[in-house]
């Protein structure tokens, strides 16, 4: 019995040894260096397969391709950046054209708004800008000598531009200059719209002539602020009781010139700042009295522009309106009807 057990155990051991030998024969033993080389080869094969998949996908989309630049393989970022700089659809060109169109539209809008200003007010504002630019280029001393009102050089030297430059110079660019230019545009447009271009031209000539004499007498080299105040005074006298907003107050319209005079005096800290406003109120009231009050007292309205000037500046429609107004103002006589005895 013991012999049989030993024989069986010997046979089992022999079978196990034979299995081990066959498995070892199937899987040869590899050294550590050989295992490392096999892992590296397998990794490189996987990377090459991934790169080939990416290239195939890009070729299908029509995108970047694998090219060499400066001895290096172009990356996906560099090729996409290059393609974004110059694409087949011209996206960058479209954006540049849109920006250029926006710039052109902004310039055209500005020109359209400038041309929409009433003609005489537009000319006056343009002269203010030109005189201000000349003053910046020449400096304070030279601009005073060239642009200021000088009665001796105006009359004897025939420097006839001085009254007009004195009426257009608002000083160097500043917040005060900007506000004065806005007032000039606002009040000038209102007067020209209410009276007409020809009547507004006559108003400006009267103001420049009267203020030239007064400024020369009081030693004022420039009187553009006085012209603005005269415009405001005439407007305020046309509708004196209308309520307007000034700063945080609601005041009658006729008090607005005096409010602006008071604010300039407080800002300057000197009572002499009231002189241009006083001259403007006086000059504006001379025009308003002879245009509106004197005819109501029985006097003649002699501040009427000539008809050729009305036809030239306001066209045929204004001439027709003046004729129709003259016909309407005729007094009907007590005549008899035709055929009556």
């Amino acid at each position: 019995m013991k012999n049989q057990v030993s024989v069986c155990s010997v046979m089992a051991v022999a079978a196990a040894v034979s299995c081990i030998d066959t498995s070892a024969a199937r899987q040869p033993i590899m050294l550590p260096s050989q295992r490392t080389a096999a892992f590296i080869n397998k990794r490189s094969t996987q990377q090459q397969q991934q790169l080939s998949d990416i290239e195939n996908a890009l070729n299908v989309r029509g995108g970047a391709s694998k090219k060499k630049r400066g001895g290096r393989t172009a990356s996906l970022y560099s090729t996409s950046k290059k393609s974004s700089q110059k694409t087949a659809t011209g996206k960058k060109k479209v954006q540049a054209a849109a920006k250029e169109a926006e710039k052109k539209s902004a310039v055209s809008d500005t020109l359209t708004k400038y041309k929409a200003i009433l003609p005489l007010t537009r000319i006056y504002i343009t002269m203010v800008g030109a005189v201000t630019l000349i003053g910046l280029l020449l400096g304070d001393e030279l601009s005073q000598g060239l642009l200021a009102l000088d009665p001796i050089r105006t009359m004897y030297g025939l420097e006839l531009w001085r009254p007009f430059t004195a009426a257009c110079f608002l000083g160097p660019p500043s917040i005060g200059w900007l506000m004065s230019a806005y007032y000039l545009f606002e009040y000038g447009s209102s007067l020209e719209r209410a009276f007409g271009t020809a009547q507004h031209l006559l108003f400006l000539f009267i103001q420049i002539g009267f203020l030239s004499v007064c400024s020369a007498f009081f030693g004022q080299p420039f009187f553009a602020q006085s012209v603005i105040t005269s415009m405001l005074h005439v407007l305020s006298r046309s509708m004196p009781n209308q309520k307007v907003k000034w700063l945080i107050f609601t005041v009658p319209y006729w008090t607005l010139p005096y409010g602006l005079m008071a604010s300039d005096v407080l800002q300057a800290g000197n009572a002499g700042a009231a002189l241009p406003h006083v001259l403007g109120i006086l000059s504006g009231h001379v025009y308003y009295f002879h245009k509106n009050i004197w005819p109501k007292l029985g006097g003649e309205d002699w501040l009427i522009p000539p008809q050729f000037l009305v036809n030239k500046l306001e066209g045929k429609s204004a001439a027709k309106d003046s004729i129709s107004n003259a016909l309407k103002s005729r007094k009907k006589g007590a005549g008899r009807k035709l055929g009556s005895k």
Side-chain angles (χ1 to χ4, degrees), residues 122-136:
R122 182 172 67 244
I123 292 172
Y124 200 168
I125 292 175
T126 305
M127 291 178 62
V128 169
V131 170
T132 304
L133 182 60
I134 293 173
L136 286 176

Side-chain angles (χ1 to χ4, degrees), residues 128-139 142-143 146-147 165 169:
V128 169
V131 170
T132 304
L133 182 60
I134 293 173
L136 286 176
L137 294 176
L138 296 180
L142 290 177
S143 62
L146 181 64
L147 304 175
T165 54
F169 188 71

Side-chain angles (χ1 to χ4, degrees), residues 333-341:
R336 292 180 299 173
K337 294 183 179 179
L338 292 175
S340 62
K341 294 182 180 180

Side-chain angles (χ1 to χ4, degrees), residues 93-108:
K93 294 181 179 180
V94 172
Q95 292 178 354
K99 291 181 179 179
E100 186 176 358
E102 289 179 359
K103 291 181 180 179
K104 289 182 178 179
S105 63
V107 174
S108 62

Side-chain angles (χ1 to χ4, degrees), residues 63-93:
S65 60
K66 184 178 179 182
K67 294 181 180 179
K68 289 186 178 182
R69 174 190 278 181
R72 294 184 180 180
T73 303
S75 63
L76 183 61
Y77 172 76
S78 63
T79 52
S80 63
K81 184 177 180 180
K82 182 180 178 180
S83 62
S84 65
Q85 291 176 354
K86 187 178 180 181
T87 59
T89 58
K91 185 177 180 181
K92 290 289 183 181
K93 294 181 179 180

Side-chain angles (χ1 to χ4, degrees), residues 10-23:
V10 170
M11 291 177 65
V13 170
V17 170
S18 62
C19 291
I20 292 172
D21 292 335
T22 55
S23 63

Side-chain angles (χ1 to χ4, degrees), residues 2-306:
K2 293 180 179 180
N3 292 332
Q4 290 179 354
V5 171
S6 62
V7 171
C8 290
S9 62
V10 170
M11 291 177 65
V13 170
V17 170
S18 62
C19 291
I20 292 172
D21 292 335
T22 55
S23 63
R26 291 177 184 177
Q27 298 180 355
I29 299 173
M30 297 176 64
L31 297 176
S33 61
Q34 293 177 347
R35 291 179 182 177
T36 303
F39 176 76
I40 292 173
N41 291 331
K42 185 177 180 181
R43 187 65 177 174
S44 63
T45 303
Q46 291 177 356
Q47 291 179 352
Q48 290 177 358
Q49 184 65 30
Q50 290 178 357
L51 290 176
S52 63
D53 293 340
I54 292 173
E55 289 179 358
N56 293 330
L58 292 174
N59 291 328
V60 170
R61 292 175 57 190
S65 60
K66 184 178 179 182
K67 294 181 180 179
K68 289 186 178 182
R69 174 190 278 181
R72 294 184 180 180
T73 303
S75 63
L76 183 61
Y77 172 76
S78 63
T79 52
S80 63
K81 184 177 180 180
K82 182 180 178 180
S83 62
S84 65
Q85 291 176 354
K86 187 178 180 181
T87 59
T89 58
K91 185 177 180 181
K92 290 289 183 181
K93 294 181 179 180
V94 172
Q95 292 178 354
K99 291 181 179 179
E100 186 176 358
E102 289 179 359
K103 291 181 180 179
K104 289 182 178 179
S105 63
V107 174
S108 62
D109 290 342
T110 304
L111 290 177
T112 302
K113 292 179 180 179
Y114 174 75
K115 292 178 180 179
I117 302 173
L118 295 174
L120 202 56
T121 305
R122 182 172 67 244
I123 292 172
Y124 200 168
I125 292 175
T126 305
M127 291 178 62
V128 169
V131 170
T132 304
L133 182 60
I134 293 173
L136 286 176
L137 294 176
L138 296 180
D140 293 337
E141 185 175 354
L142 290 177
S143 62
Q144 287 274 345
L146 181 64
L147 304 175
L149 179 66
D150 190 341
I152 303 300
R153 300 178 69 175
T154 302
M155 291 186 294
Y156 296 102
L158 296 180
E159 298 179 359
L160 302 179
W161 68 84
R162 290 184 177 274
F164 300 98
T165 54
C168 296
F169 188 71
L170 293 173
S174 61
I175 298 298
W177 183 94
L178 189 63
M179 295 300 296
S180 298
Y182 172 74
Y183 292 149
L184 178 63
F185 163 74
E186 189 69 24
Y187 304 147
S189 299
S190 300
L191 280 177
E192 188 173 358
R193 191 177 296 110
F195 297 158
T197 303
Q199 186 67 43
H200 188 52
L201 180 62
L202 181 61
F203 166 79
L204 288 178
F205 274 123
I206 292 172
Q207 300 306 308
I208 291 174
F210 186 84
L211 288 172
S212 296
V213 175
C214 293
S215 298
F217 181 78
F218 287 100
Q220 296 290 316
F222 302 104
F223 53 86
Q225 188 62 51
S226 300
V227 176
I228 296 173
T229 306
S230 67
M231 292 180 180
L232 178 58
H233 179 75
V234 173
L235 283 173
S236 65
R237 295 301 301 172
S238 300
M239 34 190 172
N241 296 322
Q242 182 179 352
K243 300 297 182 181
V244 293
K245 193 77 173 179
W246 179 64
L247 299 179
I248 60 174
F249 308 103
T250 302
V251 296
Y253 204 175
W254 68 270
T255 63
L256 193 56
Y258 305 98
L260 291 178
M261 178 176 64
S263 65
D264 282 354
V265 169
L266 292 176
Q267 288 179 0
N270 185 8
L275 181 59
H277 296 278
V278 172
L279 294 178
I281 292 172
L282 180 62
S283 176
H285 193 71
V286 167
Y287 174 85
Y288 179 79
F289 177 81
H290 286 90
K291 184 65 180 175
N292 297 286
I293 300 176
W294 180 247
K296 293 179 181 179
L297 297 177
E300 183 181 357
D301 183 11
W302 54 276
L303 296 179
I304 299 176

